[in-house]
Amino acid sequence: MAREAGHCVLCHSAPGVDAAGDLGPPLAGVGSRLSASQLRELVADISRLRPNATMPSFHRTEGLNRVAAQYAGKPALDARQLEDVVAYLGSLK
């Protein structure tokens, strides 16, 4: 949820977060609407399901544009972080 880490609340509002973005849909209730598998797929690589989405792919490393050399081949979220985000989003019932 930390804004300085570049995660969800930069673009999405979330329960209990006062300073959050409004570019993406609110996250309240997302755990009731989507399964853990669906959440994982959206966060890991939303472009597979929604090619025109403005949300970045947080776990994909191939086929990306405008990636700084020091980040090439490295996901924005490692596997553990991805699972933590999925667990958090799944808890938002």
Side-chain angles (χ1 to χ4, degrees):
M1 288 193 331
R3 290 177 59 87
E4 51 281 343
H7 297 292
C8 307
V9 297
L10 282 174
C11 298
H12 301 273
S13 63
V17 179
D18 294 329
D22 61 2
L23 178 65
L27 297 177
V30 72
S32 296
R33 296 187 302 274
L34 300 172
S35 69
S37 177
Q38 291 169 314
L39 291 166
R40 186 176 299 104
E41 191 168 8
L42 287 170
V43 174
D45 186 8
I46 194 168
S47 67
R48 292 179 68 202
L49 297 172
R50 300 179 186 156
N52 296 324
T54 57
M55 185 171 124
S57 296
F58 285 98
H59 197 66
R60 187 177 93 192
T61 59
E62 301 298 319
L64 301 174
N65 298 314
R66 300 183 330 209
V67 177
Q70 69 265 33
Y71 300 114
K74 298 175 186 172
L77 296 176
D78 64 29
R80 174 62 187 244
Q81 292 168 318
L82 176 62
E83 292 307 313
D84 288 347
V85 169
V86 169
Y88 167 69
L89 295 173
S91 76
L92 299 178
K93 307 276 185 183

